[in-house]
Amino acid sequence: MNHDTTMRAALQAAKLRQEFIDWLRADADKLVSAAQLLGGQRGEDRAISVIDAIDFGVEPEELGADLAKLHRLMTLEYIDDLNGEEALYFIAVHPDDPGLEDTRLCAEGLERGLKVLRAHAAALNQEVS
């Protein structure tokens, strides 16, 4: 019985992981634009690098650090340093900029995806145990 529950959890985690990968591919343009809006060229380059890697077949777990940095960028964690580049980009954004909605949606997608990757890893560890 416990094995059946563990297997279902692993399958669900794998399904959600694939949905995250599919989201990264489907909303790649929004992710890149949002990263550029709040991180300039460096943010854009990081997002492009992640998307290119996913398209090339790199596992999202291998991109965890970059995905986490993109999430922190889009949740404004980098604007604490008022002299930092990210703060300057944020200050330059008009509050009615339609890109802010995409940024919010990308931040939420990345947050869900990072949680899914952690759950998938935990499910795999549980299955192996």
Side-chain angles (χ1 to χ4, degrees):
M1 180 99 154
N2 190 24
H3 177 69
D4 190 40
T5 303
T6 302
M7 181 60 78
R8 275 196 307 264
L11 289 172
Q12 179 65 19
K15 178 182 177 267
L16 293 173
R17 178 184 176 274
Q18 186 58 51
E19 288 175 4
F20 177 55
I21 293 168
D22 293 343
W23 173 79
L24 285 169
R25 288 183 175 130
D27 283 346
D29 290 341
K30 288 180 183 177
L31 184 64
V32 170
S33 294
Q36 191 279 329
L37 182 68
L38 294 176
Q41 190 64 50
R42 189 170 55 183
E44 180 180 2
D45 290 346
R46 174 163 288 150
I48 289 171
S49 175
V50 165
I51 297 304
D52 286 348
I54 290 291
D55 285 343
F56 189 67
V58 174
E59 301 297 333
E61 292 81 1
E62 295 176 53
L63 304 168
D66 284 328
L67 289 166
K69 287 178 183 176
L70 286 170
H71 179 254
R72 285 193 297 275
L73 175 67
M74 293 185 199
T75 56
L76 307 177
E77 289 184 35
Y78 293 130
I79 66 167
D80 289 342
D81 177 7
L82 296 179
N83 296 318
E85 186 177 338
E86 290 83 1
L88 297 175
Y89 286 115
F90 178 70
I91 291 168
V93 176
H94 190 278
D96 294 330
D97 189 320
L100 288 176
E101 179 64 13
D102 286 344
T103 300
R104 182 187 65 77
L105 293 172
C106 287
E108 290 173 359
L110 287 166
E111 184 169 341
R112 281 191 306 274
L114 290 166
K115 286 180 183 177
V116 162
L117 294 179
R118 288 189 293 272
H120 184 256
L124 289 178
N125 286 337
Q126 182 71 22
E127 191 174 307
V128 170
S129 304

